[in-house]
Amino acid sequence: MDATSDSKRLGAVKLSRVTFRATNRDSDPTAAKTVAAAQTPRTTSNVKPPPSEASPKPTDTKKAAPSISLSGLLAAQRMTLRLKNQAALRRKARARTPNRKPIAIINEQVPSGSANPPQRFPYSLAKELIQEFLMAKLRNVTYDPSTSGDLTKTLCEDIKKVVRRVTPPRYKLICNMAIGSRNREDVLVTSQCLWDSYSDNVTSCSFQNATMFCVATVYAVYFE
């Protein structure tokens, strides 16, 4: 019974590596070497075996790049050019139409020493009336040096009557006229005066036909 129990214990001891080495180190040296080799950690070798001729080659997993057609490239270039032109047109439109609101002048500043008429002289309307009058009076007139002086006085008086219809009150009209021949001659007519540039104004018209030319100037001077 003791031997059986001892054998059972010995078999149980064999299952434990630490107990086996402590009890059998002197008696079985080869077993100790085997156990030590078993306890040493296994190292994996980094050396790869040479590829055999029979082993299959790895297949290339890269996909082929899609081909680009010439028509698609031209269409993309046209689209890019169209978008650039549209952006340029929008920038020009924004530059032509500023976002700033116009400044409204509530009270116009009258210069010191100037008259302040309640209504200004309508020089653009007066110019249209003078132009129509000269065309109606001188359309079929032939230049004659002997009658040009009287014709000038008559036309000046008639022009003042026509312009007086649209002239505001307290304005004095002064008419100046020059008539000459169109016989290969160049004429320069100038005028100069001293007045109030804020309240006074001037308008001028010219007319010519086959034989003569006429320049009429009307000054509108305001009196308080």
Side-chain angles (χ1 to χ4, degrees):
M1 294 297 290
D2 295 335
T4 304
S5 61
D6 292 335
S7 62
K8 289 183 180 180
R9 289 178 182 175
L10 183 60
V13 169
K14 287 181 179 180
L15 294 178
S16 176
R17 292 180 182 178
V18 177
T19 306
F20 179 79
R21 288 178 60 187
T23 55
N24 297 323
R25 180 176 55 184
D26 297 332
S27 61
D28 193 358
T30 59
K33 292 181 181 180
T34 304
V35 173
Q39 289 181 352
T40 56
R42 295 181 180 181
T43 58
T44 57
S45 176
N46 294 329
V47 180
K48 296 182 180 179
S52 60
E53 296 181 355
S55 61
K57 296 182 179 181
T59 58
D60 191 3
T61 59
K62 295 182 179 180
K63 296 183 180 180
S67 60
I68 301 175
S69 62
L70 180 60
S71 60
L73 182 59
L74 294 176
Q77 290 179 353
R78 289 194 296 269
M79 179 65 69
T80 303
L81 182 59
R82 189 182 304 111
L83 293 176
K84 289 183 178 179
N85 294 335
Q86 291 177 358
L89 291 176
R90 285 194 295 268
R91 287 194 297 269
K92 291 181 179 179
R94 287 195 296 267
R96 287 194 300 266
T97 57
N99 297 326
R100 297 190 302 269
K101 295 182 180 180
I103 300 174
I105 300 176
I106 300 175
N107 295 324
E108 187 176 3
Q109 299 295 327
V110 181
S112 59
S114 298
N116 188 13
Q119 188 178 358
R120 298 289 190 84
F121 175 74
Y123 64 93
S124 59
L125 179 58
K127 184 174 183 178
E128 294 178 2
L129 295 177
I130 296 171
Q131 191 71 41
E132 294 176 359
F133 176 80
L134 293 178
M135 187 180 297
K137 290 291 184 179
L138 302 176
R139 182 181 303 170
N140 300 322
V141 175
T142 303
Y143 176 72
D144 187 359
S146 59
T147 60
S148 295
D150 296 336
L151 179 62
T152 301
K153 294 179 182 180
T154 304
L155 292 178
C156 285
E157 295 297 329
D158 294 339
I159 288 175
K160 287 193 291 184
K161 293 179 182 178
V162 172
V163 178
R164 178 62 65 183
R165 300 173 185 173
V166 296
T167 303
R170 305 190 66 83
Y171 270 98
K172 181 180 179 180
L173 299 179
I174 303 171
C175 184
N176 185 15
M177 182 176 290
I179 295 178
S181 174
R182 293 187 59 192
N183 189 14
R184 298 180 183 179
E185 295 178 357
D186 295 334
V187 178
L188 179 62
V189 179
T190 61
S191 60
Q192 202 172 24
C193 62
L194 181 62
W195 63 3
D196 188 354
S197 60
Y198 180 79
S199 59
D200 302 335
N201 214 322
V202 63
T203 183
S204 179
C205 296
S206 62
F207 175 81
Q208 60 183 1
N209 57 17
T211 60
M212 64 180 298
F213 70 90
C214 175
V215 179
T217 305
V218 177
Y219 301 94
V221 182
Y222 182 75
F223 286 89
E224 289 184 337

